Amino acid sequence: QMGRMITLANGEQVSQGEITAMMGDFYGAYTRGEDGRQHFDPSASFDAMQNADPEEMRRILGHVRSEQAGVQAAITSGGEATPTALAALEAETVARHQRTDANGTTTGYSFLELAQLNTNHFSTEDESGTDNNLGAYGAFHTMAAQAAQRAHDLPPGPEREAAEQRALALEASSQHFMTDRFASGHQFDKQQLMDANSGGV
């Protein structure tokens, strides 16, 4: 199942690993809460990825696939893989326009703007909500399980295939935050650190 390709709503065919790479870092949505802060919205983030500009996504995937090939070459032949420059990734997304809907959910952040907001990639003592990696993982995983149940209840056919693909894509999205959970650079509470260094503003 993990090897199945996924066709997104924008028509792009991607691997589940490519979804894991893109979710959160390249596609994300945030909703302003009563506390005045922007909180990660997994469902809106998934929709943003599903309906992303296909041409832009193809450029992003070009970087993802190039890095993957570099890592594979390094494993096979030795040497080091060269990561894509952050400026190059920002250049692919900087033309986006932020849009805020009636619910206060904003999409259209660029790569570096998403990086500024990404407390949801980090570990926190309080794992409730979606502003930490385990909470974000849990939200996506729950949506994936619900989509899988819906697929199971449908008769064979295009509708069931679409539901299965949605379930797999949601689970692949969840895996971004599970990998963050075990990433050494994400083993601290980013928001707590920012508050401590800005007087809580």
Side-chain angles (χ1 to χ4, degrees), residues 102-196:
N103 296 319
T105 302
T106 302
T107 55
Y109 295 105
S110 73
F111 174 76
L112 290 181
E113 287 170 337
L114 286 170
Q116 290 178 323
L117 291 166
N118 73 349
T119 56
N120 52 302
H121 296 242
F122 292 80
S123 297
T124 57
E125 184 176 357
D126 178 4
E127 296 172 344
S128 61
T130 58
D131 294 324
N132 62 87
N133 49 37
L134 198 61
Y137 162 78
F140 275 112
H141 182 65
T142 298
M143 289 190 291
Q146 291 168 344
Q149 182 62 59
R150 181 172 181 274
H152 178 270
D153 294 340
L154 290 168
E159 191 176 359
R160 178 171 182 167
E161 172 63 21
E164 288 178 353
Q165 290 224 347
R166 181 177 178 83
L168 290 169
L170 283 163
E171 185 61 22
S173 297
S174 81
Q175 292 302 311
H176 182 103
F177 304 96
M178 183 56 73
T179 59
D180 281 343
R181 181 73 175 175
F182 295 97
S184 59
H186 290 67
Q187 299 300 307
F188 61 91
D189 187 327
K190 179 182 175 181
Q191 188 62 57
Q192 186 180 64
L193 186 63
M194 290 192 301
D195 288 347

Side-chain angles (χ1 to χ4, degrees), residues 2-24:
M2 293 300 291
R4 286 176 63 178
M5 298 294 286
I6 304 294
T7 302
L8 299 174
N10 65 1
E12 290 303 300
Q13 191 173 57
V14 296
S15 72
Q16 293 174 56
E18 288 166 348
I19 290 174
T20 300
M22 291 189 294
M23 175 51 64

Side-chain angles (χ1 to χ4, degrees), residues 38-49:
Q38 296 280 47
H39 299 281
F40 182 60
D41 187 323
S43 180
S45 296
F46 185 73
D47 288 343
M49 182 185 67

